């Protein structure tokens, strides 16, 4: 038995034992409480404490925005995303995180605009291409999604293969979707690949039974990504989560 996932250690918790005034540590603990421990109340306390300590922490507003969007507080999430962009408008990582919040909150066109700004600043940023592909899938533009995913894969983001399966399937290219899924599963034999990513690829090619089993595994292992991967899956995938 035992978990497939790497052991999770939380240096933020240790840091806060020494100094409770480190905003970044509270921020990290907020994500841990929300995505791993599934304690929304504790997560919100950590996020709000982080921003009390450093109201100008741009990435803090973006991460809090993820929490707000994922818990259905869309208007507050959009406000947090906008604040992150205002505080650090030339930081591609902040812009990508802020765009992810907008995508999670179902403001897809707005997310695209922010991602395009990030790519103007960092044209080869794999995560920006990956999130942009997710937006294009939601917009039904599978050709544009596949072009972005090729850029993400070229940049080394092999986990984008889950979205590659989704985009090919959406475009009616079932053989290519199966090939992307097979590539991802081959990688999973060699190294840890989160079950939630494999679930997205399985669902994309119509293997619902396998997708459900993988989602159950992801939830059992308290995979952080399982709460955030719904928007990048095929239509209906979020209902499995």
């Amino acid at each position: 038995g035992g978990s497939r996932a790497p052991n999770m250690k939380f240096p933020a918790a240790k840091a806060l034992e020494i100094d409770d005034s480190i905003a970044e540590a509270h921020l990290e603990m907020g994500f841990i409480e929300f995505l791993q421990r599934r304690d929304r109340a504790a997560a919100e306390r950590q996020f709000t404490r982080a921003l009390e300590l450093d109201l100008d922490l741009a990435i803090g507003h973006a991460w809090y925005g993820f929490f707000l969007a994922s818990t259905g507080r869309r208007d507050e999430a959009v406000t947090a995303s906008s604040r992150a962009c205002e505080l650090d408008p030339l930081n591609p990582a902040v812009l990508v995180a802020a765009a992810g919040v907008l995508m999670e909150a179902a403001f897809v066109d707005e997310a695209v605009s922010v991602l395009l700004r990030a790519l103007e600043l960092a044209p080869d940023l794999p995560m920006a291409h990956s999130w942009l592909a997710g937006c294009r899938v939601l917009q039904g533009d599978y050709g544009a999604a596949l072009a972005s995913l090729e850029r993400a894969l070229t940049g080394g983001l092999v986990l984008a293969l889950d979205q590659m399966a989704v985009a090919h399937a959406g475009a009616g290219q079932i053989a290519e979707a199966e090939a992307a899924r097979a590539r991802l599963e081959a990688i999973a034999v060699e190294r840890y690949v989160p079950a939630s990513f494999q679930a997205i690829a399985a669902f994309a090619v119509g293997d619902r039974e396998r997708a459900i089993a993988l989602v159950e595994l992801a939830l059992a292992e308290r995979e952080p990504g399982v709460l955030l991967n719904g928007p990048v899956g095929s239509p209906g995938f979020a209902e499995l989560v």
Side-chain angles (χ1 to χ4, degrees):
S3 172
R4 298 160 50 255
N7 289 330
M8 291 288 188
K9 297 179 181 178
F10 306 132
K14 294 278 188 186
L16 291 174
E17 288 174 7
I18 299 167
D19 183 353
D20 188 50
S21 67
I22 304 170
E24 292 84 352
H26 282 286
L27 188 61
E28 184 177 333
M29 285 305 302
F31 244 49
I32 290 165
E33 295 288 5
F34 176 47
L35 292 178
Q36 186 140 27
R37 296 176 178 166
R38 309 287 199 263
D39 187 336
R40 290 185 179 184
E44 180 140 31
R45 285 195 298 272
Q46 293 287 357
F47 285 129
T48 54
R49 180 60 178 150
L51 294 173
E52 285 171 2
L53 290 166
D54 187 353
L55 195 55
D56 293 332
L57 185 61
I59 197 66
H61 289 277
W63 285 17
Y64 186 36
F66 267 119
F67 169 79
L68 293 167
S70 298
T71 53
R73 292 155 65 181
R74 296 173 67 227
D75 291 342
E76 292 175 81
V78 171
T79 299
S81 174
S82 298
R83 185 61 183 144
C85 293
E86 290 168 5
L87 286 168
D88 205 351
L90 300 180
N91 186 328
V94 168
L95 293 178
V96 169
V101 174
L102 293 169
M103 189 178 172
E104 186 77 15
F107 288 90
V108 179
D109 293 344
E110 293 82 354
V112 168
S113 295
V114 176
L115 287 165
L116 292 175
R117 289 199 339 245
L119 287 167
E120 287 176 5
L121 295 164
D124 298 321
L125 190 62
M127 189 58 70
H129 286 291
S130 177
W131 279 104
L132 182 58
C135 290
R136 297 307 190 195
V137 164
L138 290 171
Q139 293 173 326
D141 190 345
Y142 299 110
L146 289 165
S148 292
L149 288 167
E150 289 292 350
R151 295 290 300 273
L153 289 168
T154 299
L157 191 65
V158 295
L159 294 184
L161 285 164
D162 66 336
Q163 289 175 269
M164 187 73 81
V166 171
H168 277 304
Q173 300 164 352
I174 304 305
E176 291 86 346
E178 289 278 11
R181 178 203 183 177
R183 284 177 65 190
L184 186 63
E185 294 203 342
I187 291 168
V189 173
E190 301 296 327
R191 65 175 229 202
Y192 173 70
V193 172
S196 54
F197 287 85
Q198 298 177 69
I200 287 173
F203 191 81
V205 300
D207 192 348
R208 184 180 176 87
E209 185 175 340
R210 173 71 173 152
I212 290 171
L214 285 163
V215 167
E216 288 174 351
L217 177 60
L219 290 168
E221 292 187 342
R222 295 184 174 269
E223 256 183 38
V226 73
L227 291 183
L228 298 177
N229 276 340
V232 302
S234 302
F237 175 79
E239 295 166 15
L240 298 186
V241 180

